[in-house]
Amino acid sequence: MPAFSCAFPGCRRDLLVIVLVVFVGIGLHIEASAPAYQSHGTEGSHLTNITNTKKAFPVLAVNYEHVRKPFEIALWILLALLMKLGFHLIPRLSAVVPESCLLIVVGLLVGGLIKVIGEEPPVLDSQLFFLCLLPPIILDAGYFLPIRPFTENVGTILVFAVIGTLWNAFFMGGLLYALCQIESVGLSGVDLLACLLFGSIVSAVDPVAVLAVFEEIHINELVHILVFGESLLNDAVTVVLYNLFEEFSKVGTVTVLDVFLGVVCFFVVSLGGVLVGAIYGFLAAFTSRFTSHTRVIEPLFVFLYSYMAYLSSEMFHLSGIMALIACGVVMRPYVEANISHKSYTTIKYFLKMWSSVSETLIFIFLGVSTVAGPHAWNWTFVITTVILCLVSRVLGVIGLTFIINKFRIVKLTKKDQFIVAYGGLRGAIAFSLGYLLSNSHQMRNLFLTAIITVIFFTVFVQGMTIRPLVELLAVKKKKESKPSINEEIHTEFLDHLLTGVEGVCGHYGHYHWKEKLNRFNKTYVKRWLIAGENFKEPELIAFYRKMELKQAIMMVESGQLPSVLPSTISMQNIQPRAIPRVSKKREEEIRRILRANLQNNKQKMRSRSYSRHTLFDADEEDNVSEVRLRKTKIEMERRMSHYLTVPANRESPRPGVRRVRFESDNQVFSADSFPTVHFEQPSPPSTPDAVSLEEEVPKRPRLKADIEGPRGNASDNRQGELDYQRLARCLSDPGPNKDKEDDDPFMSC
Amino acid sequence: MGALQSLSDEPEYRELSEKTGFSFEQIGILHKRFKQLSHNEDMLRRADLDTIPDLACNPIRTQIIEAFFDKRNFHQNGDGTVEEISFEEFLVVMSHFRPPALNMTEEQREKVRREKLRFLFNMHDTDNDGTITLEEYRHVVEELLSRSGALEKETAKGIADAAMLEVASISMGHMVRLLFYNIL
């Protein structure tokens, strides 16, 4: 077995390499010989028109120029994805080396290959990068940004992003200028502004690289959001500094007025970007209110409005990244309340898909550009840059944390600081900004080389070693927890409690303003942006319904599959709780579909348009699976009893049909639409076997554990059972018995 | 007593500071607030806290106010509720919300954490019997949802049931203790 498994991925890898080479070869060969065909084609038709001689009808012709551009684009994307596929087939490699490194290496190889063939390798065009490759990644990050940790730490994040980046830029620029003044380096032509420009390009932490590396190490939420948030918010600073220094280095001198204008510019850029994003976000939310009849195009609204936000802000030289983040954050709660479940899934998967493709392409192109680009190597400059990057980052983080910790309740420990400092990776944004420098800068090539070296160093060395370091330092990891209704309840409870205590103290703190914002949101904003009557529902109920729906779906699916695993957790940045609100009619629909699935033993969820068929078939097939379901239910009940402390008086199994009624909402979760509830139809229990779980919903002051007699055969999947029995518990009224605890439960543990 | 803070309160403050861990400055500020709430009297009553406008729209205000008058939170191993509290007791209740100091040992941190959990537990356990029953939990959920307007008892019940169920499936008994440890 081990031999087989070793050989197999190896085979696949070789196959992929061969495929890759073939692809590239074909692509380039066609490219090279395309002009020849083209000229033949035009000549031929030209001649035909003039002389009218009969030519043989071309049965097969090649016209490459016609499809050239899309063909090449598609080829590159396909190459990128095949590489990604290849890596994940080799588990040993992907566990040690982060994907970004591998992709850069592939890029290097491909670039080298192209150069060997004699063609000019394509360079990462800045236009392409900023307008096509970057937005999907940022939108993905912004849309799924975990709001709570972000807003709790926004002060810290801003300090790191703004002040940290400024510190980095000036420290590096200044010291490099000092370096250039030294005669032996041979760079005395470099003036201060050019150095500062270089410093500002290379000082910003890159969101793409951070995402790529951090998503594989599963670090705790606090550090993750700090580094990630910083990488997103420092875009404003980078934009301002870059434009500022570029303008100045043309002019040559700086006055105090310019500096002042620069500061003003920073505020305009960042706040303007956020404003533009927020406006588009509200527009998107408002539009989504009316899409109940055209569900199919809902995802497009989300994508297009966000992209427009990005382009609009780029148009005004505002921070596009912040616009995109603001747009995603603002529109998400309202859009999710309005759109259908399918649209939500579409949005999620499309965003993940695009951002994944973009990221892959970026890293590959980075590798290719390294081979292609004009280089000017200067040992001292480059090595100093790399060292200074590290040093300034570490100093910046330590210094800022010292100040920040005075204002934080949850202090940042040394370990946190280390990871924040070490996780400051540079990436493709720095490269593109460097590439954007006009050729008039005589140091352009040197800068580019230095930037690429820094990027390589951070991505390879820091990216590869961060995982073992995290293990070594035993940094707290992210807890993979499933969405828990207890957490929701207690989070809300604590929020209110802390707001209340702030009120008692007379202190207008964090919670006070948050509460005010929530109330404003509820009374005014939601009314306009959420369709129908949904806006009145409190979040707790919405969350509860989402969970039930999710459990129902999981139950149905797991009923068919032997092993179900929440594989969605492995996808990056997925919020386990981010299941959308579903309108009541839709929930009805979904329940009907679930029931149909259950009965027809199919695993796919049918789309809305097919549900009419299943409705008619449903009734007939009720009885068939009924008995089977009952048996599994009984078995589950038995298992359930192990979890609960059972009182001495066990209830004897009651015969007769009892009705399962859904607890929460009588209108929506009406008995018939739920898969289990076809029991409600009067079907006489033929044998004691057919004891069902249905029961009336009594108003009992105390709850008893209902125990059915141990019956039925063991069903094959426990996971489904567990979920199912949880659901069954939700449906039927019984609950745990009143627990008599030890005298002092807290102190005894 | 006048509204001015006089240094003659020093020895009292020192004792309070040691007991609760607040700094002198913090005690001073809280004392001012206490006087403001109690209209310059020595003892604070429930009615005084009721009049705070910020608490008006808080769904769990009754529980918060009760927490201040709950003897179990006074660290004196008492039980039951009182009608009015002095400044010292006010401070003791407030001290539950202090963050742990940076230089605490792991053991001390555990102790602080447990105290906070105890406070929360007492807030849920309204009938002072040392356990949280499903009824009490349901009451909590109802309170939380009471601001929504359209409250259905079924919903609250369903949610509370599901919550208890979750805890039951995570732990086998000793529900309440683990309930809190799971989330905090």
Side-chain angles (χ1 to χ4, degrees):
Chain A
M1 204 44 99
F4 181 72
S5 61
C6 275
F8 202 54
C11 269
R12 282 205 198 173
R13 182 171 36 151
D14 296 337
L15 192 62
L16 276 169
V17 170
I18 293 171
V19 166
L20 152 71
V21 172
V22 165
F23 260 119
V24 173
I26 292 178
L28 295 168
H29 181 69
I30 291 178
E31 236 179 275
S33 48
Y37 278 111
Q38 175 69 357
S39 52
H40 273 295
T42 49
E43 250 184 69
S45 59
H46 184 68
L47 281 170
T48 322
N49 285 339
I50 293 181
T51 60
N52 260 347
T53 44
K54 183 150 166 38
K55 221 168 71 100
F57 187 77
V59 173
L60 192 64
V62 178
N63 188 355
Y64 180 66
E65 279 303 313
H66 188 57
V67 296
R68 179 185 179 149
K69 215 164 166 77
F71 191 87
E72 282 177 7
I73 295 174
L75 197 65
W76 276 106
I77 298 181
L78 196 58
L79 167 76
L81 295 176
L82 284 173
M83 285 298 106
K84 209 174 159 88
L85 195 68
F87 298 145
H88 287 283
L89 289 175
I90 311 171
R92 281 168 293 141
L93 198 58
S94 52
V96 173
V97 185
E99 208 176 83
S100 40
C101 302
L102 292 171
L103 288 169
I104 294 186
V105 168
V106 166
L108 285 172
L109 287 174
V110 170
L113 206 64
I114 295 180
K115 220 169 191 171
V116 158
I117 293 182
E119 291 287 326
E120 187 63 39
V123 189
L124 183 59
D125 180 26
S126 292
Q127 181 97 342
L128 176 73
F129 175 75
F130 279 113
L131 292 183
C132 299
L133 292 179
L134 192 59
I137 301 179
I138 304 295
L139 180 61
D140 179 37
Y143 195 76
F144 293 111
L145 194 69
I147 291 297
R148 220 190 147 82
F150 186 75
T151 47
E152 280 175 10
N153 294 302
V154 79
T156 316
I157 293 176
L158 277 174
V159 167
F160 275 128
V162 176
I163 304 183
T165 313
L166 281 173
W167 156 259
N168 279 345
F170 282 103
F171 184 75
M172 283 191 63
L175 282 187
L176 280 174
Y177 179 62
L179 179 77
C180 291
Q181 297 304 92
I182 302 175
E183 290 300 321
S184 58
V185 176
L187 287 172
S188 29
V190 185
D191 64 334
L192 180 63
L193 281 171
C195 281
L196 284 175
L197 178 61
F198 176 72
S200 70
I201 295 176
V202 96
S203 64
V205 177
D206 186 77
V208 180
V210 163
L211 260 178
V213 169
F214 268 58
E215 74 123 3
E216 294 178 6
I217 61 177
H218 299 300
I219 202 144
N220 68 47
E221 213 172 45
L222 174 65
V223 173
H224 184 254
I225 198 69
L226 283 179
V227 182
F228 184 56
E230 180 195 344
S231 69
L232 289 175
L233 294 186
N234 66 18
D235 180 57
V237 181
T238 314
V239 165
V240 170
L241 282 180
Y242 181 79
N243 287 329
L244 205 73
F245 288 132
E246 228 205 349
E247 285 292 319
F248 292 159
S249 61
K250 287 193 192 126
V251 175
T253 52
V254 184
T255 65
V256 177
L257 181 65
D258 293 325
V259 173
F260 176 71
L261 283 179
V263 172
V264 171
C265 183
F266 165 71
F267 283 107
V268 167
V269 161
S270 50
L271 294 175
V274 170
L275 190 68
V276 168
I279 292 175
Y280 275 99
F282 282 120
L283 277 176
F286 191 65
T287 313
S288 73
R289 186 178 163 193
F290 303 107
T291 56
S292 46
H293 299 289
T294 46
R295 294 277 184 201
V296 189
I297 56 174
E298 273 172 343
L300 278 175
F301 282 119
V302 170
F303 301 140
L304 287 172
Y305 273 113
S306 316
Y307 195 47
M308 291 286 285
Y310 181 75
L311 292 176
S312 308
S313 61
E314 284 289 320
M315 188 167 71
F316 292 110
H317 279 293
L318 304 173
S319 167
I321 290 184
M322 293 187 81
L324 216 44
I325 304 278
C327 187
V329 164
V330 163
M331 86 174 141
R332 188 176 174 201
Y334 309 110
V335 161
E336 280 188 3
N338 288 332
I339 61 177
S340 69
H341 186 71
K342 284 213 169 64
S343 298
Y344 171 75
T345 311
T346 310
I347 292 179
K348 186 168 84 170
Y349 278 96
F350 261 89
L351 281 179
K352 299 288 169 204
M353 185 181 79
W354 275 330
S355 67
S356 183
V357 169
S358 278
E359 197 182 296
T360 316
L361 276 175
I362 288 176
F363 283 117
I364 288 191
F365 267 117
L366 209 54
V368 173
S369 310
T370 313
V371 174
H375 290 297
W377 183 266
N378 182 313
W379 275 102
T380 334
F381 189 80
V382 172
I383 303 286
T384 325
T385 312
V386 173
I387 296 178
L388 277 182
C389 255
L390 271 177
V391 167
S392 76
R393 175 90 183 145
V394 169
L395 285 178
V397 168
I398 293 182
L400 286 174
T401 319
F402 180 71
I403 302 174
I404 289 171
N405 268 346
K406 295 205 204 297
F407 297 98
R408 279 179 69 92
I409 297 182
V410 178
K411 317 276 184 199
L412 293 177
T413 64
K414 290 246 179 304
K415 281 189 205 164
D416 294 335
Q417 288 175 41
F418 175 75
I419 300 292
V420 169
Y422 205 67
L425 307 173
R426 315 307 202 258
I429 292 186
F431 177 78
S432 305
L433 283 176
Y435 201 73
L436 267 177
L437 286 174
S438 60
N439 278 323
S440 57
H441 288 269
Q442 74 270 45
M443 293 290 116
R444 183 171 177 263
N445 294 341
L446 177 63
F447 286 171
L448 270 179
T449 313
I451 292 172
I452 289 185
T453 316
V454 171
I455 295 176
F456 271 45
F457 180 80
T458 54
V459 171
F460 277 93
V461 174
Q462 286 179 230
M464 269 203 268
T465 53
I466 200 166
R467 198 183 312 188
L469 274 173
V470 161
E471 303 281 334
L472 197 69
L473 292 175
V475 180
K476 224 165 57 158
K477 292 251 192 147
K478 179 164 73 167
K479 19 175 207 150
E480 296 282 356
S481 55
K482 298 204 320 192
S484 154
I485 197 153
N486 275 310
E487 272 185 51
E488 279 292 310
I489 294 178
H490 284 280
T491 313
E492 203 166 321
F493 188 83
L494 283 172
D495 267 351
H496 288 300
L497 173 65
L498 289 169
T499 315
V501 172
E502 276 189 2
V504 169
C505 288
H507 171 60
Y508 286 145
H510 185 76
Y511 287 95
H512 178 88
W513 294 117
K514 200 157 80 156
E515 179 65 29
K516 271 210 151 72
L517 186 67
N518 277 339
R519 262 187 288 144
F520 175 73
N521 192 18
K522 207 171 286 198
T523 34
Y524 297 112
V525 182
K526 278 193 179 169
R527 199 176 290 270
W528 285 104
L529 298 179
I530 297 187
E533 291 299 302
N534 295 342
F535 67 92
K536 288 211 200 96
E537 246 190 14
E539 285 189 14
L540 197 58
I541 295 183
F543 179 77
Y544 178 58
R545 295 239 175 93
K546 284 178 211 166
M547 257 193 54
E548 286 170 347
L549 201 56
K550 191 179 180 208
Q551 278 177 347
I553 294 175
M554 265 203 325
M555 178 200 88
V556 167
E557 286 179 355
S558 65
Q560 326 304 327
L561 300 168
S563 68
V564 67
L565 51 118
S567 57
T568 50
I569 294 183
S570 62
M571 291 188 84
Q572 59 193 97
N573 290 340
I574 287 187
Q575 274 267 38
R577 291 178 210 167
I579 309 170
R581 280 252 47 232
V582 183
S583 70
K584 296 191 190 236
K585 274 195 291 222
R586 194 93 188 93
E587 279 174 321
E588 281 272 327
E589 205 83 37
I590 290 176
R591 286 203 160 69
R592 286 185 212 275
I593 295 170
L594 285 179
R595 180 162 67 137
N597 278 345
L598 190 63
Q599 290 159 352
N600 296 328
N601 277 359
K602 283 216 168 65
Q603 292 163 18
K604 272 189 323 182
M605 285 253 293
R606 304 230 182 105
S607 71
R608 197 173 173 187
S609 55
Y610 301 147
S611 63
R612 277 191 218 117
H613 301 295
T614 61
L615 273 178
F616 290 118
D617 295 334
D619 299 316
E620 294 157 299
E621 283 166 281
D622 276 350
N623 300 327
V624 177
S625 39
E626 195 180 292
V627 174
R628 189 179 63 106
L629 267 171
R630 277 194 197 140
K631 282 194 177 160
T632 49
K633 259 187 159 169
I634 292 161
E635 180 59 34
M636 288 171 210
E637 276 287 57
R638 189 178 65 83
R639 286 180 212 276
M640 193 58 198
S641 69
H642 288 304
Y643 286 120
L644 308 169
T645 52
V646 177
N649 50 338
R650 275 177 166 245
E651 274 200 348
S652 51
R654 276 192 262 159
V657 177
R658 294 172 292 171
R659 196 190 289 164
V660 173
R661 182 104 54 83
F662 215 91
E663 283 279 25
S664 52
D665 191 339
N666 293 329
Q667 308 119 309
V668 179
F669 305 120
S670 60
D672 1 72
S673 54
F674 199 75
T676 59
V677 187
H678 51 250
F679 294 168
E680 191 177 9
Q681 282 141 40
S683 42
S686 42
T687 62
D689 257 10
V691 175
S692 64
L693 282 180
E694 300 156 333
E695 57 173 22
E696 299 291 342
V697 177
K699 302 272 185 215
R700 294 189 247 174
R702 276 172 46 112
L703 305 164
K704 293 182 270 188
D706 275 328
I707 318 289
E708 310 291 334
R711 280 274 179 205
N713 38 9
S715 57
D716 29 338
N717 54 8
R718 294 188 161 253
Q719 174 69 13
E721 272 176 49
L722 203 57
D723 292 335
Y724 187 84
Q725 72 203 24
R726 268 193 229 161
L727 205 54
R729 279 295 173 185
C730 292
L731 301 178
S732 54
D733 195 17
N737 204 10
K738 180 169 172 171
D739 235 13
K740 277 293 174 212
E741 294 217 338
D742 309 332
D743 277 354
D744 208 354
F746 268 37
M747 303 311 160
S748 67
C749 72
Chain B
M1 283 193 215
L4 292 172
Q5 294 304 325
S6 55
L7 284 174
S8 61
D9 294 343
E10 270 281 337
E12 198 181 290
Y13 275 22
R14 200 171 303 137
E15 192 191 312
L16 285 173
S17 172
E18 270 172 45
K19 192 171 177 193
T20 58
F22 282 121
S23 73
F24 285 3
E25 192 189 331
Q26 290 169 329
I27 297 182
I29 296 174
L30 284 171
H31 202 165
K32 245 201 289 196
R33 179 65 176 167
F34 183 84
K35 289 220 180 88
Q36 193 184 18
L37 287 174
S38 67
H39 308 291
N40 278 336
E41 291 177 32
D42 277 344
M43 304 295 269
L44 191 67
R45 286 182 196 78
R46 281 195 180 82
D48 298 323
L49 286 179
D50 262 339
T51 57
I52 300 177
D54 291 326
L55 276 185
C57 19
N58 200 314
I60 54 170
R61 56 196 281 260
T62 23
Q63 271 136 326
I64 296 178
I65 294 176
E66 274 308 309
F68 276 95
F69 294 91
D70 192 339
K71 265 200 190 163
R72 292 175 295 175
N73 294 332
F74 294 162
H75 288 182
Q76 285 161 359
N77 296 329
D79 213 0
T81 60
V82 292
E83 284 308 311
E84 44 183 35
I85 54 172
S86 68
F87 179 57
E88 184 177 334
E89 283 147 354
F90 180 76
L91 263 192
V92 170
V93 172
M94 279 303 200
S95 73
H96 283 109
F97 292 94
R98 281 189 57 247
L102 208 54
N103 49 2
M104 274 192 175
T105 65
E106 194 52 43
E107 196 185 290
Q108 280 175 317
R109 248 181 249 274
E110 261 312 300
K111 185 160 168 290
V112 167
R113 209 170 288 154
R114 204 173 296 156
E115 262 175 37
K116 296 190 189 203
L117 284 176
R118 221 356 158 165
F119 183 81
L120 277 181
F121 184 88
N122 290 340
M123 278 191 80
H124 285 280
D125 183 21
T126 44
D127 59 0
N128 292 359
D129 63 354
T131 58
I132 298 182
T133 62
L134 191 64
E135 268 309 301
E136 287 168 341
Y137 205 60
R138 275 186 186 160
H139 186 65
V140 169
V141 175
E142 271 170 33
E143 292 276 302
L144 277 180
L145 296 176
S146 63
R147 284 287 143 189
S148 74
L151 171 71
E152 291 145 348
K153 275 213 175 280
E154 305 286 314
T155 320
K157 227 163 148 221
I159 295 178
D161 285 352
M164 279 297 204
L165 189 69
E166 223 175 54
V167 175
S169 66
I170 297 171
S171 66
M172 315 234 238
H174 303 295
M175 258 194 299
V176 179
R177 180 183 72 202
L178 282 167
L179 170 107
F180 279 80
Y181 279 154
N182 276 336
I183 45 142
L184 289 168

